[in-house]
Amino acid sequence: MDLAIKDISRHVGKFIATILGVGLLLTIVFIMNGIYRGIIADGIWLIENTDTDLWVVERGRGGPFNEQSRVRMDMYKSVQATPGVMQAGPFIVYAVQREIAGRSQQFSIVGYDIAIGLGKPGRIIEGRQITAFHYEMVADKKLGLQLGDTVRLGVHDYRVVGITKGAVDSGGNPLIYLALPDAQEVLYQMDNQAIYASRAASLQRLLNAGLSQADAERMLPLVSAPVDTISAVLVRLRPGEDAQLVKDHIAKWLYLSVFSSDDEKNLMLEGRVKRISIVLGTFRVLLLVVSIVIVALIVYVLTIEKIKSIATLKLIGASNWVIVRLILEQTLMLTISSFLFGYTMAALLKASERFPRTLYFLTFDTITIFLIMLVGGILASGLAVWHALKAPPALALGG
Amino acid sequence: MPILQVEGLRKVFGEGALAVTALEAIDFTVKKGELMALLGPSGSGKSTLLLCLSLILEPTAGRIIINNKEIYNNGWTNVDARRFRRENIGFIFQGHNLIPFLTTLDNVALVMTLNGVREGDARKKGMEILEYLEIAHRADFYPSFLSGGEQQRVAIARAIANEPALIFADEPTASLDTERGFKVMGLLKRIAKEKGSGVITVTHDHRMIDGFDTVYELMDGRFVK
Ligand SMILES: Nc1ncnc2c1ncn2[C@@H]1O[C@H](COP(=O)(O)OP(=O)(O)O)[C@@H](O)[C@H]1O
Ligand SMILES: [Mg+2]
């Protein structure tokens, strides 16, 4: 005879309310955890999915993801000439916000040399890689573009020739891959009106400096911003080459900073991801503690409410195990039901794809949360168990 | 042969100046199938005696032997009180003490399952007992939906379910009118005769003791008969 279920069937309302409440708290725990894992996954996605051994960036910069890095375009040829380097290619990445597929969207543009191929999108689920030197793009599915769509970026139209899935920048925004010159153009070239305004401003500065109109106009091309910079040079090493030697060589002779992909990942995890993970981690722990406290409280209240029944059980000769089982079963039912409800809600939210951030649910995390709830709940119900075992049987006779 | 032997039982509540001697020099025996009535005014120690005999209250001194097993000799002997109780003693408490979240049938079946009877068998036998006590039509009711008399009969059903060697009834007629009181007493007599249990019934109503094998009267914790 299952006393726990019989007792609970008389308190269904209280029981269900607790499961809903604790379950929703756990939903938040799952989502926070999902965001945390999502931030990590997004943060390193482009690093992991760029086929390169080394990232060569501007001297002293932690780029190209954590901060701006500007490298002169022709540097990649010098890197190419470094001993141990099999292949080097220019790479540019920058975040923009533009109108795409009818709405203003944040995304990153990745530009690479399509002839060299370093930095190209890894897996294309529909269509093909960029093959033309201009006006083709590979876009991520999240942007809502279809194969064959044309997108205006800056002053040109680009045709979608390939679609990726899950290609994101470190902020979780989708990627657009362009051939390098196109990417540079979108980044640096302004429309005619803006060019005109910029030139007028530069001209005015030269005139203010005391140059004559004719001299100022002659100097104007020299003071215009150079457009041939890139974010990084990607390097593929010769097989069996010592990466450290190549790194040192490039740093010393080309006066640039060099990171391996693992270095880049660490930069990302130690930087942006770390702070947010501490915040989310703290909330996760607090919410788990609150959930366990609620379970403990409810189990305690349920136990105190039936303390006379428990004393009666002792009167009719029930062993302590019968009483402990009654309380533990209720604890387990509460924690397991809350867990299942909470997980289901979180999974539904993820499946709905309505959530604005990448959610990653790892089986390991799910099992860990389950075990924490289970063990925490059982330990927390210890107070109720202790109280129940302490109650003298004669308690049932009074009153 | 005696099923219960009590020798020199003493029970003192509290200590020093506040000490209350509830029982003093209690000696008696109960045989198999014997019906014993315990009379006495309120506060004379009747409940205390039954609770001591059920291993619920610890006596202060004396000796108790139940079913040839010494359970108390100036201190509990090495018995598992709960187990001994559920295997040997049926108790009809003054306040019925049914479990509120169990139905009538479950209340009765529970004590059998605690003794290791399979649930199906316990329910089957529980139903038979409820029929025997003419309360089967309330099998699926929760205690709060039963009248005082009905609760009393469920409590009796529970007390006899395990066919214990001893049945203690603490004022089973107190909450009943005279007619129902006689019926319950009749029932206890029948159980003693038909099931062979030793029965001790507490009452302070002299009219109820017709047909009892032995009658003891308590006065300030001592037998006066
Ligand atoms: N738990 C207790 N603590 C102190 N005194 C008690 C306790 N229980 C009973 N008594 C005292 O013991 C005496 C006998 O009580 P009880 O056995 O309940 O009498 P009865 O059942 O005959 O009415 C009374 O004087 C009562 O006040
Ligand atoms: Mg009494």
Side-chain angles (χ1 to χ4, degrees), chain A residues 33-53:
Chain A
N33 200 62
I35 293 173
Y36 164 65
R37 292 297 183 185
I39 285 173
I40 292 180
D42 288 349
I44 62 176
W45 189 91
L46 189 51
I47 301 169
E48 286 199 316
N49 286 274
T50 300
D51 187 14
T52 184
D53 294 323

Side-chain angles (χ1 to χ4, degrees), chain A residues 26-27 30-31 341-351 359 361:
Chain A
L26 289 178
T27 303
F30 281 118
I31 288 173
F341 175 68
Y343 182 76
T344 307
M345 293 304 284
L348 286 178
L349 189 70
K350 179 174 156 70
L359 291 178
F361 292 169

Side-chain angles (χ1 to χ4, degrees), chain B residues 2-222:
Chain B
I3 208 158
L4 169 68
Q5 284 172 261
V6 179
E7 294 166 13
L9 196 69
R10 197 157 90 86
K11 172 66 184 170
V12 182
F13 286 110
E15 278 174 31
L18 296 173
V20 176
T21 304
L23 296 171
E24 184 70 69
I26 302 294
D27 288 289
F28 69 100
T29 59
V30 174
K31 291 195 289 291
K32 210 169 163 2
E34 178 177 335
L35 257 174
M36 167 180 156
L38 195 54
L39 287 171
S42 194
S44 58
K46 308 181 296 293
S47 297
T48 303
L49 177 55
L50 291 191
L51 293 176
C52 286
L53 298 180
S54 325
L55 300 80
I56 294 168
L57 281 182
E58 178 161 12
T60 308
R63 191 157 175 252
I64 303 171
I65 297 161
I66 295 176
N67 246 350
N68 293 323
K69 188 166 171 61
E70 183 179 71
I71 59 164
Y72 186 85
N73 191 354
N74 295 315
W76 294 124
T77 59
N78 193 16
V79 287
D80 176 345
R82 305 248 192 102
R83 177 171 183 172
F84 189 84
R85 194 149 66 230
R86 68 173 180 259
E87 287 176 352
N88 296 283
I89 296 167
F91 208 130
I92 301 153
F93 301 99
Q94 228 165 332
H96 314 322
N97 286 95
L98 299 176
I99 308 261
F101 55 82
L102 295 182
T103 60
T104 292
L105 181 56
D106 284 342
N107 260 288
V108 177
L110 172 64
V111 293
M112 290 184 266
T113 59
L114 289 179
N115 267 342
V117 178
R118 285 221 322 274
E119 188 160 340
D121 297 340
R123 292 172 153 273
K124 199 158 146 272
K125 192 171 167 220
M127 211 55 211
E128 286 168 14
I129 297 169
L130 291 178
E131 272 157 20
Y132 176 71
L133 296 177
E134 296 168 9
I135 186 78
H137 59 293
R138 293 284 187 257
D140 295 326
F141 282 52
Y142 286 95
S144 54
F145 293 101
L146 301 179
S147 71
E150 287 170 335
Q151 289 187 34
Q152 183 70 280
R153 269 183 283 167
V154 179
I156 295 172
R158 181 176 68 180
I160 66 175
N162 281 326
E163 298 180 7
L166 280 170
I167 295 171
F168 301 143
D170 196 350
E171 310 211 21
T173 60
S175 60
L176 305 178
D177 57 47
T178 318
E179 190 195 346
R180 283 173 194 278
F182 277 118
K183 259 179 127 164
V184 166
M185 283 304 183
L187 209 53
L188 288 172
K189 287 176 204 164
R190 216 173 95 203
I191 289 165
K193 296 293 164 265
E194 292 177 6
K195 314 270 181 196
S197 307
V199 176
I200 304 182
T201 298
V202 163
T203 181
H204 48 225
D205 190 341
H206 285 260
R207 293 169 304 166
M208 294 287 176
I209 59 171
D210 282 350
F212 275 71
D213 299 319
T214 39
V215 177
Y216 286 90
E217 186 153 7
L218 265 174
M219 205 61 122
D220 292 332
R222 288 170 182 273

